[in-house]
Amino acid sequence: MKTCCIVVIGHVDHGKTSLVHALTGIDTDRLPEEKERGLSITSGFAHRIYEGCTIDFIDAPGHEDFIQAMVSGATGASAAMIVISAAEGIGAQTLEHLNIVGLLGITKCVVAITKSDLLNPSEHAACLIEIRDALLQTPLSNGTIIMCSSKTGNGLDDLHEALQKMVPEAAQASNALGSYLPIDRVFSVPGQGTVVTGTLLGQDLNLDDKLMLEPMGRAVTLRSLQSRGTQRDLIHVGERMAANLRGISVTDIPRGTILSAQGAGKASFCIDVQIVLQPEMKRPLTHMQDVRVLFGTSNEVATVR
């Protein structure tokens, strides 16, 4: 069965979490403060099993204060669902998110214009034209646009169809030497021990694979693998997953750690990068300047040489 991991992006309060719930039946806001504030703080996760494919949804925070969480959530996604409120149009964070996913190499998308019930039907055509024109100036301008409503259900069937059609187009190909998992959550389960989660990259992961935690270079073994609440012996690249690890505590695994196949590569303090400055950049980049690097699920301060 084909699988696809889709990051859900858009401006704060444009209805991303409500739309994911309408599509999957899963509430991605799990923290008490998220429910109290009605605002996603960390990435949330849901999935939907279709005929012939399964889609994992990563509901990324929309507020500008949580860009690091948004980048972390988008790591591993092979496509995007852009959520735009019909009543408000494209917001500032939507444009920033579009630039970010473009930099991450995501080229496939579906645009969901939600909250369409807040407009008169006679206004829908003008709303579609306005948003289509605005998207022409962004890295993701070729996506299918669907007018929908999480409240009434209008357009959701069309959105399901568009998402399913995108799955084979967004299939991941990799030349990585082995599987690797940028860890985005670490927690303990009573009676089982330490569990890490993330989106699998590189190659498929088997239960009997030999694994390392990087950058500490520590060998670990798997107790079990899980995806979407089901125990598995094999996880396919691009799937959301959880790994139960033996003999290591939660405090030994900081956020941003990589779980990787032995021989897939070693950690380094120096990398070569190609830097593309965004048009809105007000100042030039200079030698020995400190920059914040968002890489996988980690963020670090680095020096440009």
Side-chain angles (χ1 to χ4, degrees):
M1 179 180 286
K2 294 183 176 68
T3 63
C4 181
C5 188
I6 294 177
V7 62
V8 183
I9 60 174
H11 196 79
V12 63
D13 203 30
H14 273 213
K16 297 184 298 299
T17 300
S18 296
L19 184 58
V20 171
H21 184 269
L23 291 172
T24 67
I26 298 172
D27 183 3
T28 58
D29 279 346
R30 64 183 188 275
L31 301 178
E33 53 266 44
E34 289 179 317
K35 296 184 180 298
E36 181 180 341
R37 297 170 62 182
L39 175 71
S40 295
I41 297 172
T42 63
S43 292
F45 308 101
H47 67 276
R48 168 90 182 211
I49 299 175
Y50 295 96
E51 184 177 352
C53 70
T54 300
I55 294 179
D56 288 308
F57 294 91
I58 302 176
D59 180 12
H63 196 281
E64 62 182 344
D65 290 346
F66 307 120
I67 285 296
Q68 292 179 7
M70 178 266 162
V71 174
S72 173
T75 294
S78 52
M81 181 169 72
I82 305 160
V83 179
I84 301 170
S85 167
E88 299 182 37
I90 293 182
Q93 289 308 121
T94 305
L95 295 174
E96 185 172 17
H97 286 186
L98 286 167
N99 281 331
I100 289 171
V101 297
L103 292 171
L104 291 173
I106 296 172
T107 60
K108 302 297 180 183
C109 75
V110 168
V111 181
I113 305 178
T114 191
K115 301 188 180 183
S116 63
D117 54 289
L118 299 180
L119 297 182
N120 292 323
S122 60
E123 299 175 294
H124 285 187
C127 176
L128 282 167
I129 292 172
E130 180 181 347
I131 289 176
R132 190 182 299 278
D133 288 347
L135 288 172
L136 289 175
Q137 311 304 319
T138 73
L140 298 178
S141 58
N142 298 320
T144 301
I145 301 178
I146 306 293
M147 185 81 76
C148 61
S149 169
S150 304
K151 184 176 180 180
T152 67
N154 289 339
L156 293 187
D157 288 343
D158 292 336
L159 184 54
H160 281 303
E161 182 179 351
L163 290 167
Q164 290 177 78
K165 286 182 178 178
M166 187 169 62
V167 170
E169 297 178 355
Q172 289 193 342
S174 174
N175 59 0
L177 295 176
S179 54
Y180 62 102
L181 183 78
I183 295 171
D184 54 32
R185 292 179 65 208
V186 184
F187 54 92
S188 181
V189 175
Q192 298 183 43
T194 299
V195 174
V196 299
T197 70
T199 303
L200 183 65
L201 303 177
Q203 302 292 339
D204 294 348
L205 177 63
N206 290 281
L207 185 58
D208 57 358
D209 284 349
K210 299 183 186 307
L211 301 175
M212 302 286 290
L213 285 174
E214 299 290 359
M216 62 277 288
R218 177 169 176 173
V220 292
T221 57
L222 292 169
R223 183 190 301 270
S224 63
L225 293 172
Q226 189 181 99
S227 183
R228 310 178 194 102
T230 302
Q231 296 284 340
R232 300 262 293 274
D233 291 331
L234 173 68
I235 305 293
H236 296 291
V237 63
E239 289 190 286
R240 288 291 308 175
M241 60 157 286
N244 185 197
L245 305 179
R246 295 181 187 274
I248 190 167
S249 69
V250 169
T251 55
D252 291 330
I253 308 176
R255 181 183 175 86
T257 299
I258 304 292
L259 179 67
S260 67
Q262 290 187 15
K266 294 183 178 179
S268 172
F269 286 105
C270 187
I271 58 173
D272 292 335
V273 299
Q274 180 181 9
I275 295 178
V276 178
L277 298 183
Q278 296 299 290
E280 61 271 18
M281 186 84 171
K282 302 254 192 283
R283 294 177 294 176
L285 193 65
T286 60
H287 176 61
M288 299 305 291
Q289 181 176 332
D290 285 342
V291 295
R292 181 162 296 280
V293 180
L294 306 182
F295 183 79
T297 56
S298 66
N299 70 88
E300 304 288 347
V301 175
T303 302
V304 177
R305 296 183 63 86

